[in-house]
Amino acid sequence: MYQKTEKIWMDGRFVSWGDANVHVLTHTLHYGVGIFEGIRYYDCGSKGTAVFRLRDHMRRFDESARIVEMKLPYRVSDLVEACVKTVRENKLKEGYLRPLAFITGAPGMGIWAYDNPISVAIITWGWGAYLGAEGVTRGIRMKTSSYTRHHRNIGMTKAKVCGQYFNSVLAKREAKMSGYDEALLLDPEGYVAEATGENLFMVRDGVVRTPPLGSILSGLTRNTVMTLLREWGTPVVEEQLTRDDLYVADEVFLTGTAAEVTPVREVDTRIVGAGKPGPMTQKIQNAYGDLIRGKNDKHKEWLTFV
Ligand code: PMP
């Protein structure tokens, strides 16, 4: 469950949570062309509350809009400011931000509907560990999905497009109904792509490996983790991985804004490594925890204090 807040930013003004409604003819509801982001902000103690990588998220939001030809009525800098205001207005010390842009329902309701105005909403809510508190400490169980990740000419893999997430929803439901925590999605060639809302990494013999961009979202947490690894001098490579690479990995972990760094302890009934979070995963979890809570001065540019 998420924790409701008071106010939602809608098209430039705050409305109360219960009044933030849309018409049933909202084009995006029918055809799925909308875009969104997922951002977290954290309590940094005496330094205050900071949003993690806000500008990068809103840049990706803008790029998602350009990819699906939605003309956002706001500049990135305006949206950054609106996110900060939304956090301030709701007074949560830690939480999740969900900017969403959608196509309204007039004048057109056909596929074309090119001239319908775009609405933007920014919502915040309180959210705990996305894959469960136990998942963060013990690791989660993952199952290869019967659903395939979008081919890059079917989905727009660089964009967070609302409709594209039907693939994630089906895969997630299948995995959960089969008693697993998360789905492993393969790309159309059968290589490892990502999870339903997270990127994937594996560790073997001290080398960290992750699938290249192509069928996956260019995750900001993925980028954060790769930056840390490079700074430590830990070898990290982007290369195609097969599901059986994961079966013999020393460690597997997922990265995402919502899931942060979550260890994987089992893939398709194969126990990963020692069946508990490995040393590299733990090191990355700790370093990520320090970064987001303002304890690593090296990357102050990633924190926007509200
Ligand atoms: N892949 C998918 C499909 C996602 O939805 C997300 C979450 N945005 C990620 C990866 C991770 O991206 P990020 O680290 O930027 O949250």
Side-chain angles (χ1 to χ4, degrees):
M1 250 318 261
Y2 60 86
Q3 182 192 346
K4 250 171 83 169
T5 54
E6 291 285 315
K7 299 279 185 196
I8 291 177
W9 187 95
M10 270 189 107
D11 297 318
R13 63 188 186 95
F14 283 107
V15 296
S16 64
W17 181 280
D19 292 331
N21 303 313
V22 296
H23 197 276
V24 286
L25 284 185
T26 297
H27 191 274
T28 303
L29 265 180
H30 297 245
Y31 305 112
V33 181
I35 54 125
F36 68 101
E37 265 304 318
I39 311 168
R40 274 194 192 265
Y41 52 95
Y42 296 94
D43 184 358
C44 298
S46 57
K47 294 181 184 165
T49 286
V51 189
F52 190 61
R53 301 201 66 170
L54 175 59
R55 272 162 219 291
D56 297 316
H57 278 285
M58 295 323 284
R59 183 177 175 207
R60 187 170 69 187
F61 187 73
D62 185 68
E63 288 171 352
S64 293
R66 280 157 51 198
I67 289 170
V68 297
E69 297 193 290
M70 284 171 68
K71 289 193 183 64
L72 289 182
Y74 302 98
R75 291 178 309 216
V76 171
S77 54
D78 299 331
L79 293 169
V80 164
E81 191 50 39
C83 286
V84 169
K85 279 191 187 149
T86 306
V87 175
R88 269 192 211 131
E89 183 78 18
N90 286 290
K91 301 184 183 71
L92 275 187
K93 282 189 171 170
E94 290 211 2
Y96 183 83
L97 270 169
R98 166 60 56 81
L100 169 76
F102 55 93
I103 306 176
T104 56
M109 263 320 279
I111 301 287
W112 165 243
Y114 199 71
D115 300 320
N116 292 20
I118 306 297
S119 265
V120 181
I122 301 171
I123 312 116
T124 182
W125 60 77
W127 229 7
Y130 182 68
L131 293 167
E134 197 191 282
V136 176
T137 50
R138 287 190 60 206
I140 60 150
R141 300 175 58 242
M142 207 172 178
K143 181 175 166 50
T144 302
S145 185
S146 71
Y147 297 100
T148 299
R149 202 45 153 175
H150 301 291
H151 182 277
R152 53 200 158 276
N153 288 327
I154 296 177
M156 294 290 104
T157 59
K158 299 287 178 296
K160 275 182 81 73
V161 182
C162 299
Q164 242 158 239
Y165 277 78
F166 88 96
N167 176 254
S168 282
V169 172
L170 294 183
K172 181 80 180 187
R173 288 188 175 165
E174 179 191 58
K176 295 279 279 186
M177 298 303 269
S178 312
Y180 287 81
D181 304 301
E182 185 52 294
L184 165 65
L185 286 142
L186 306 179
D187 71 16
E189 284 81 44
Y191 292 102
V192 171
E194 59 186 341
T196 60
E198 303 88 24
N199 293 118
L200 180 141
F201 287 81
M202 63 165 274
V203 186
R204 186 172 152 96
D205 296 335
V207 179
V208 182
R209 298 158 73 191
T210 194
L213 300 178
S215 292
I216 63 170
L217 187 75
S218 179
L220 288 162
T221 322
R222 175 184 185 273
N223 173 272
T224 301
V225 165
M226 290 174 77
T227 304
L228 287 175
L229 290 167
R230 288 188 179 125
E231 282 170 4
W232 297 338
T234 305
V236 50
V237 289
E238 295 176 81
E239 61 182 13
Q240 284 179 322
L241 303 174
T242 55
R243 59 194 279 181
D244 53 5
D245 280 325
L246 305 185
Y247 296 165
V248 295
D250 298 330
E251 301 180 36
V252 176
F253 62 91
L254 303 178
T255 63
T257 299
E260 300 171 327
V261 179
T262 299
V264 177
R265 71 171 200 272
E266 187 188 316
V267 180
D268 297 341
T269 71
R270 276 80 167 178
I271 303 299
V272 177
K276 56 182 187 183
M280 184 72 79
T281 308
Q282 286 178 309
K283 184 178 175 187
I284 295 166
Q285 278 183 304
N286 291 336
Y288 189 73
D290 284 349
L291 260 182
I292 56 182
R293 292 206 162 72
K295 293 183 192 151
N296 177 348
D297 281 343
K298 200 163 178 185
H299 289 290
K300 279 191 283 210
E301 76 282 5
W302 284 344
L303 299 177
T304 304
F305 284 91
V306 300

